[in-house]
Amino acid sequence: MKKIQILGTGCAKCQNLAAVADQAAKTLGVPYELQKVTDLKQIMSFRVMSTPALVVDGVVKLSGRVPTLEEAQKLIG
Amino acid sequence: MKPAAHATLRLLAAATGLVAWWCLYRHLAALAAWLTYTVAGLARGSHLGASVEFFVFEVPKVLMLLVLVVFGVGVVRTFFTPERTRRLLAGRRESVGNVLAALLGTVTPFCSCSAVPLFIGFVTAGVPLGVTLSFLISAPMVNEVALVLLFGMFGWKVAGLYLGLGLVIAIVAGWILGRLRLQKYVEPWVYENMATATDAPSDDGTSMSWAARVQAGLTAVREIVGKVWLYVLLGIAVGAGIHGYVPENFMASLMGRDAWWSVPLAVLLGVPMYANAAGIIPVVQALLGKGAALGTVLAFMMAVIGLSLPEAIILRQVLRPRLIATFFGVVAGGILIVGYLFNILL
């Protein structure tokens, strides 16, 4: 089970990242759970400096931008 | 096709595009006049004619400039990730740090929704508070959209002035705020939870391929131009109306240089306004043509673009109200001085 977390306080880009990550994980066909982390203190515990950020199984994969679908697939898979 | 041939082909396409861009840009004025007076058949010197010509000329001009500059800045920004900027600033002495922070603020990717993580990331890595604030002043105020609009509507002198003065305000205000020893007004939790933190990947922007950088430039164009084009259109439409219909010197008594209260009023009005630079600058340009003073106009723009209530609300999560008030007060003071200086000197 992959644990995908989207860090972001709720801006438009965060929604986009969540949608792309969700789609990427679906097309990969792996079991996953998607969680949005909106609490600032929790976000900061990952030490990211720009939101939105993509975290897979506790590792920050990308921050500050929304990836393409293929890029998201690579980052998650 | 071999990768080398592919790259050459792309380069050739880019060069052709740039030449086409330049040719079109050079002839926009003639094209606008032809469309207004020959195709649409409006009378030269009429109110409607002046308004329409202004609109038909300015809209494509500003949008073309925006696409080119936003693309260029988007590519440049791939070299300056927040992580790299933080490394450059950590442990700097204050004065040098303030200058560097203000300069880096112009090229580091920044969105006001990320202001808080960025603030915490800087402060906990040992970047002095005043230096961090220099960055947070310059990043939103001196941005490429504002500079393109200023260049397009006022020319390079005003754009250069705005750039230079924006940097000076960011440097000096950050330095003063650093001197005031305001650390105790930062929310304490900011410093607390660092012990348990894990490290984010060290994305320093040096390992990206050129194809990825170009892709980032294109994404910036889609995101930024996609967001501001409507404001450009609306702003220029209002500006065109003012241009054609408002009498000369109408603004002289209201926003002219003899009205001493116009500068503080401009700043006071500007702070709560969270207008897009793209929408506000064309309107302001038209007002300037009707007798408003340049210092007043600059102060208004800086207050609208550089200081905003939404930003204050976002920063409230990490800064006590007293620090936010001081922050806004010092920056607004700097803008006031700039406004008065210009009205006196020019």
Side-chain angles (χ1 to χ4, degrees):
Chain A
M1 180 78 125
K2 278 199 184 297
K3 190 177 181 195
I4 301 170
Q5 288 165 299
I6 309 294
L7 315 183
T9 44
C11 52
K13 275 189 185 177
C14 312
Q15 314 293 346
N16 291 345
L17 177 62
V20 170
D22 196 36
Q23 204 189 343
K26 263 201 197 98
T27 51
L28 282 172
V30 289
Y32 70 98
E33 75 174 308
L34 190 100
Q35 182 199 7
K36 285 185 189 173
V37 181
T38 52
D39 178 61
L40 203 62
K41 287 172 201 181
Q42 243 182 308
I43 292 175
M44 288 321 297
S45 72
F46 288 96
R47 278 199 178 179
V48 294
M49 291 235 291
S50 36
T51 53
L54 174 67
V55 177
V56 180
D57 291 333
V59 180
V60 178
K61 293 287 187 183
L62 177 113
S63 77
R65 62 194 176 87
V66 179
T68 60
L69 183 61
E70 297 88 69
E71 199 183 353
Q73 282 172 333
K74 257 185 230 155
L75 291 172
I76 293 169
Chain B
M1 207 186 299
K2 282 181 189 148
H6 222 89
T8 317
L9 209 68
R10 275 205 198 135
L11 217 61
L12 216 67
T16 317
L18 213 59
V19 169
W21 185 98
W22 179 244
C23 289
L24 186 60
Y25 186 79
R26 293 296 294 170
H27 293 98
L28 275 179
L31 197 67
W34 178 73
L35 279 173
T36 310
Y37 303 116
T38 311
V39 177
L42 296 169
R44 271 177 199 277
S46 67
H47 288 312
L48 187 63
S51 286
V52 169
E53 187 187 4
F54 182 83
F55 186 81
V56 176
F57 173 53
E58 296 295 344
V59 168
K61 183 178 88 176
V62 167
L63 288 180
M64 282 178 76
L65 279 171
L66 262 182
V67 167
L68 195 70
V69 174
V70 167
F71 175 75
V73 172
V75 173
V76 167
R77 283 199 170 148
T78 60
F79 291 93
F80 295 89
T81 62
E83 285 78 11
R84 193 178 185 192
T85 295
R86 172 170 68 176
R87 253 206 323 284
L88 287 170
L89 290 177
R92 287 274 168 198
R93 283 220 326 279
E94 277 199 314
S95 42
V96 183
N98 290 116
V99 175
L100 202 60
L103 288 172
L104 285 168
T106 63
V107 286
T108 308
F110 176 80
C111 136
S112 59
C113 51
S114 288
V116 165
L118 197 119
F119 177 87
I120 298 173
F122 274 25
V123 170
T124 50
V127 180
L129 182 62
V131 173
T132 305
L133 292 176
S134 275
F135 181 92
L136 280 182
I137 298 166
S138 123
M141 185 147 75
V142 186
N143 71 72
E144 71 276 20
V145 174
L147 288 173
V148 163
L149 266 294
L150 286 173
F151 173 76
M153 317 239 37
F154 292 96
W156 64 269
K157 278 185 193 158
V158 172
L161 275 176
Y162 183 91
L163 172 69
L165 292 168
L167 287 174
V168 168
I169 289 179
I171 292 165
V172 176
W175 185 81
I176 293 173
L177 289 163
R179 299 285 91 192
L180 292 176
R181 309 251 161 260
L182 298 161
Q183 280 78 350
K184 56 180 177 290
Y185 298 114
V186 175
E187 293 289 353
W189 69 266
V190 169
Y191 295 101
E192 273 163 15
N193 73 339
M194 290 316 291
T196 56
T198 51
D199 254 323
S202 56
D203 181 6
D204 61 358
T206 48
S207 55
M208 242 173 146
S209 72
W210 270 100
R213 291 187 202 282
V214 169
Q215 190 55 48
L218 293 174
T219 308
V221 169
R222 205 171 50 239
E223 274 177 10
I224 298 178
V225 179
K227 201 166 64 186
V228 303
W229 71 270
L230 190 64
Y231 293 95
V232 171
L233 226 67
L234 287 174
I236 294 177
V238 173
I242 296 173
H243 198 79
Y245 289 93
V246 174
E248 294 293 322
N249 287 323
F250 176 79
M251 295 307 294
S253 59
L254 222 57
M255 286 177 83
R257 69 168 76 191
D258 297 328
W260 66 267
W261 40 267
S262 66
V263 178
L265 187 70
V267 174
L268 224 59
L269 285 176
V271 175
M273 270 200 215
Y274 185 46
N276 219 293
I280 202 83
I281 292 172
V283 177
V284 155
Q285 191 262 359
L287 293 179
L288 198 67
K290 303 297 177 185
L294 184 60
T296 309
V297 160
L298 267 176
F300 181 63
M301 278 187 304
M302 285 183 160
V304 170
I305 302 165
L307 292 175
S308 72
L309 284 186
E311 200 192 331
I313 292 164
I314 289 169
L315 286 174
R316 174 64 194 90
Q317 295 176 289
V318 280
L319 305 178
R320 296 262 165 91
R322 178 134 176 208
L323 178 45
I324 295 181
T326 317
F327 174 50
F328 270 53
V330 170
V331 177
I335 295 173
L336 270 184
I337 295 171
V338 164
Y340 276 123
L341 262 177
F342 266 81
N343 282 355
I344 293 165
L345 293 180
L346 292 178

